Amino acid sequence: MTDNELIELAKKAAQDSYCKYSGFSVGAALLCRDGRVFTGCNIENGSFSLTNCAERTAIFKAVSEGCTEFSAIAVAGGEKGSDLSQPCFPCGACLQVMSEFCGGDFRIILTDGVRTLNDLMPSRFAL
Ligand code: THU
């Protein structure tokens, strides 16, 4: 699975985004160490704080199916209906959820290149 293929899967997942409040659609494609890929989209709620981001949707889908070892996640987002070509950075909450399962070398693939978890969240909370 190439980085470009993962970005394309993330863009495809964004088509299912439920974003009636923000009009901002996000998709994620999570590559597991065993080769499986889980995708997710953002799911908004009229009680705004209950919104779930695309990255967390993908991670929670994977964990709920027994997969907890990940090597990369691709993220694509932008105004609904746009080409999602501009980089869409994961929010702090999603980075914290990634840090629960992933080391600092976890690859975060955006439309303009790759970062690591260490790049985007160098100091992370851990129990
Ligand atoms: N969003 C994500 O899906 N992932 C992020 O990392 C940041 C934000 C979503 C949440 C909300 O539905 C919309 O983008 C606008 O904030």
Side-chain angles (χ1 to χ4, degrees), residues 18-19 22 24 26 41-44 51-55 88-91 94:
Y18 181 79
C19 59
S22 73
F24 193 89
V26 185
C41 62
N42 55 330
I43 305 167
E44 299 187 347
T51 291
N52 205 62
C53 291
E55 300 90 320
C88 176
F89 284 80
C91 75
C94 288

Side-chain angles (χ1 to χ4, degrees), residues 12-96:
K12 188 164 182 287
Q15 291 172 6
D16 291 322
S17 165
Y18 181 79
C19 59
K20 64 189 280 188
Y21 302 104
S22 73
F24 193 89
S25 61
V26 185
L30 177 68
L31 178 62
C32 302
R33 288 204 184 277
D34 67 4
R36 280 190 284 175
V37 176
F38 291 86
T39 60
C41 62
N42 55 330
I43 305 167
E44 299 187 347
N45 191 278
S47 179
F48 297 151
S49 65
L50 299 182
T51 291
N52 205 62
C53 291
E55 300 90 320
R56 279 178 286 149
T57 301
I59 293 168
F60 294 157
K61 282 172 67 177
V63 174
S64 71
E65 297 195 21
C67 207
T68 56
E69 295 187 358
F70 311 124
S71 50
I73 191 168
V75 184
E79 193 179 322
K80 191 173 176 63
S82 73
D83 66 3
L84 312 186
S85 61
Q86 296 302 308
C88 176
F89 284 80
C91 75
C94 288
L95 292 170
Q96 180 63 35

